[in-house]
Amino acid sequence: MSATLEPASDSDEDAYLARVLSEIEAEVRAKRASGELPARVERELDELFLEFSPVAGRAGGLHDALRMVDAATFIDPVVPVGSAKSGGAVVKKGLRSLSLWYVGYITHQVSQLATAVSRALHILDEQVTDLRRQLDAQRVPPSLVVEADWANGPDAWWVEEGVRTLAAARGRVLHTAAGDGWLVRRLTAEGVSAYGVDPRPERIERAEFDGTDLRDEDVVAHLRAVESAALDGIILSGVVDGMTAGERLALLDLVVDRLSPGGTLVVHSLSRAGWESDQAPVAADLCGGHPLRLATWSFLLGEQGFDVRAQPGPEGLDYLVVGVLGDTVTASR
Amino acid sequence: MSEPGATAPLLPADPLVAEALAGIKAEFGGSDWLCVADIEPLSGQDDLIKALWAFSRLYGLPARLHLVGATPDGAYLGALRDFVEDLGLVGAVQLVGPVSAEIAAAYFAAADVYVTASVADTEGTRRAVRARVPVVNLDGSDTAAGVVLTVAQPSLVAATIARLLTDTAFAAAARNRASRGAQLRVGPPE
């Protein structure tokens, strides 16, 4: 950014300001997408301050806030009369005596109102606490990256097909969950402009020194920050397996929007049989959802306008789905 | 806001404070951000600190945030101190506290940008407008003046201030709008 000449007229200024404001918004979008300041980090800033905040603090929450309300409920009509000025205290005391009946009448009513509000808040607090207890008991665990050594690595059966499918991509290609970047490096070696996203920082850190473009981000948060039609390819491996139906559909909506016309989606997932087998990773038992059947993916992607081809793994423990987005769908979004 | 661009004469700035602020700028460079409002949760100084942190991370430029105002809420002040320390911004954020009008005038004279997150902060905004300091308001309300951000998103604040500091035409337009009580609304990117 650099200094700019001032516009000559009001209409010039309006046009100039509209351009500047859109440039600022575009710059923020680019910085978030590039990973310089992901949306997740901005949310963490808020959470960090809440840790220090006197209200909703470290272990507090509504209880702490209610204590502050309780402490402020009583309004004292007897104002202090101290004064640094000579005779000031006498004057103030006289004024207080003259107005106490009036101020006392008002503060009594305000205190009554505050007490009633405080009581209502305590009842709400009890109900919210009870609801939270019930919700915790039925909590759906967040989906985890489900990664098996035999299915998510450079020697897995589906990798050649995935790379071949995307080798001709001219724009950016995203792989998630990217792990230490094994597939991103492979795609890059084929001349593909690939980068990776993974929500597990410890996996990214291992790959930080070889220059591979990897970002420590949740896939949904990352895709939200990406512009519409900005990606030529998306590879989802170890991501959709354990998602709940709602999470999966929300992700699919984002994928459809972020892929360019003719863009390619590659999905690798464990099958139901693989999910139930002893070869499945521990994460499979800890997720709220379970893998879809191959036919269901074909149906879902077909509904979204993808031209789909599906391939089960050699032992039936996993599968690969490749979808190419049609131009008509993307044109109408 | 009523008469944000009132043309009352500027107060004389405290010479010692003015000299100290000028000396710091000469030695370390960068920009001075100012907020003059009671340091309490309603004023949202924590949002300004988050924005300064984002500015430092995104642009790598030195900047100092001066928080001037009474400190009626000790717990909030303590939380801000802990937050500043945790973000590594000790030295960049000055919790100045309450000052005389002359000292405040020195801060206004040294400020490159006036930032506020409080709709109640009409006096500070009015004085910034009088001192021809560009105003960035994080409150997003319809009554705010200057560059008004519809959300207090740190990266958006940082990018807006970076542009104000480097684009003289934008800064001039922002000052003109603020002096007329008008707004320049900046929304969040999708």
Side-chain angles (χ1 to χ4, degrees):
Chain A
M1 289 181 294
S2 58
T4 313
L5 290 175
E6 295 200 20
S9 68
D10 276 358
S11 60
D12 284 349
E13 184 177 279
D14 287 344
Y16 171 71
L17 286 173
R19 183 166 61 78
V20 168
L21 299 187
S22 78
E23 283 174 5
I24 289 171
E25 289 167 18
E27 184 172 331
V28 173
R29 199 180 296 116
K31 286 193 180 293
R32 295 177 93 171
S34 71
E36 285 182 80
L37 188 58
R40 174 183 55 77
V41 175
E42 295 192 73
R43 281 196 303 275
E44 284 172 4
L45 268 183
D46 292 334
E47 288 161 14
L48 179 63
F49 181 70
L50 282 179
E51 284 183 25
F52 298 119
S53 174
V55 177
R58 291 170 209 276
L62 196 50
H63 289 297
D64 285 345
L66 277 176
R67 268 209 302 277
M68 293 174 73
V69 171
D70 292 342
T73 297
F74 175 70
I75 297 169
D76 189 359
V78 185
V79 298
V81 293
S83 174
K85 292 179 182 169
S86 169
V90 176
V91 172
K92 284 183 178 177
K93 198 171 180 181
L95 284 172
R96 183 175 73 183
S97 300
L98 286 171
S99 62
L100 190 58
W101 63 273
Y102 179 81
V103 175
Y105 180 70
I106 301 292
T107 56
H108 175 68
Q109 292 175 85
V110 176
S111 291
Q112 274 188 321
L113 171 67
T115 304
V117 170
S118 169
R119 201 170 292 150
L121 287 173
H122 275 283
I123 292 169
L124 274 176
D125 177 37
E126 281 172 22
Q127 292 180 351
V128 168
T129 305
D130 191 42
L131 275 174
R132 187 187 295 157
R133 202 176 296 124
Q134 291 176 34
L135 275 176
D136 282 348
Q138 301 171 39
R139 187 166 58 94
V140 177
S143 62
L144 303 169
V145 174
V146 179
E147 214 172 55
D149 289 343
W150 53 271
N152 299 87
D155 299 327
W157 66 270
W158 59 272
V159 173
E160 282 305 321
E161 174 64 17
V163 171
R164 192 164 49 246
T165 301
L166 290 163
R170 281 175 294 181
R172 295 286 272 166
V173 171
L174 165 70
H175 176 217
T176 182
D180 62 6
W182 57 273
L183 186 52
V184 172
R185 277 190 289 276
R186 177 71 198 281
L187 287 163
T188 305
E190 297 288 331
V192 178
S193 174
Y195 71 107
V197 165
D198 197 298
R200 301 163 297 177
E202 73 280 2
R203 300 298 301 274
I204 298 291
E205 281 163 14
R206 275 189 241 163
E208 266 186 348
F209 299 108
D210 70 357
T212 308
D213 186 356
L214 297 178
R215 300 160 196 188
D216 158 26
E217 265 192 291
D218 173 73
V219 60
V220 171
H222 175 75
L223 285 174
R224 281 196 183 122
V226 171
E227 281 189 70
S228 190
L231 298 171
D232 262 14
I234 298 176
I235 306 171
L236 303 174
S237 67
V239 173
V240 296
D241 314 36
M243 278 185 164
T244 61
E247 289 175 317
R248 201 179 283 120
L249 289 176
L251 175 61
L252 193 52
D253 281 346
L254 277 170
V255 164
V256 170
D257 186 69
R258 272 36 172 187
L259 274 177
S260 58
T264 303
L265 170 66
V266 175
V267 178
H268 173 266
S269 169
L270 297 184
S271 65
R272 291 284 182 92
W275 192 256
E276 299 293 338
S277 79
D278 289 339
Q279 295 180 59
V282 172
D285 289 332
L286 304 176
C287 291
H290 55 70
L292 297 181
R293 286 175 295 149
L294 191 50
T296 312
W297 269 114
S298 298
F299 171 76
L300 278 178
L301 294 183
E303 286 280 292
Q304 294 276 8
F306 283 91
D307 179 17
V308 186
R309 67 176 192 277
Q311 187 178 346
E315 296 173 34
L317 299 177
D318 58 349
Y319 56 75
L320 184 71
V321 183
V322 176
V324 178
L325 191 59
D327 291 349
T328 50
V329 172
T330 51
S332 64
R333 62 189 173 194
Chain B
M1 271 177 61
S2 62
E3 300 179 14
T7 53
L10 294 172
L11 280 169
D14 183 286
L16 286 177
V17 175
E19 190 181 343
L21 291 170
I24 291 169
K25 179 167 275 184
E27 185 171 354
F28 299 104
S31 55
D32 285 284
W33 304 11
L34 176 64
C35 176
V36 181
D38 286 357
I39 299 176
E40 59 181 357
L42 278 177
S43 299
Q45 278 88 355
D46 52 296
D47 282 336
L48 308 183
I49 292 169
K50 290 169 198 167
L52 184 76
W53 182 84
F55 180 84
S56 168
R57 175 167 169 152
L58 290 175
Y59 298 96
L61 300 170
R64 294 163 294 280
L65 171 63
H66 307 281
L67 299 176
V68 175
T71 53
D73 188 333
Y76 183 66
L77 183 64
L80 288 184
R81 283 208 179 99
D82 290 343
F83 191 44
V84 165
E85 191 176 335
D86 208 75
L87 292 177
L89 291 175
V90 176
V93 177
Q94 308 288 329
L95 289 158
V96 181
V99 298
S100 68
E102 289 75 17
I103 292 177
Y107 277 98
F108 276 106
D112 296 296
V113 61
Y114 184 83
V115 282
T116 177
S118 167
V119 69
D121 170 25
T122 52
E123 179 56 23
T125 300
R126 191 178 291 125
R127 289 170 72 176
V129 170
R130 259 197 334 249
R132 301 291 293 162
V133 179
V135 175
V136 175
N137 196 313
L138 283 60
D139 174 75
S141 70
D142 291 337
T143 54
V147 178
V148 177
L149 306 182
T150 54
V151 293
Q153 192 179 78
S155 53
L156 184 62
V157 186
T160 305
I161 290 179
R163 185 71 185 240
L164 273 174
L165 294 173
T166 54
D167 184 336
T168 51
F170 180 45
R175 281 194 300 267
N176 290 339
R177 296 282 167 121
S179 68
R180 300 201 303 260
Q183 297 188 338
L184 275 176
R185 293 184 79 82
V186 184
E190 103 182 25

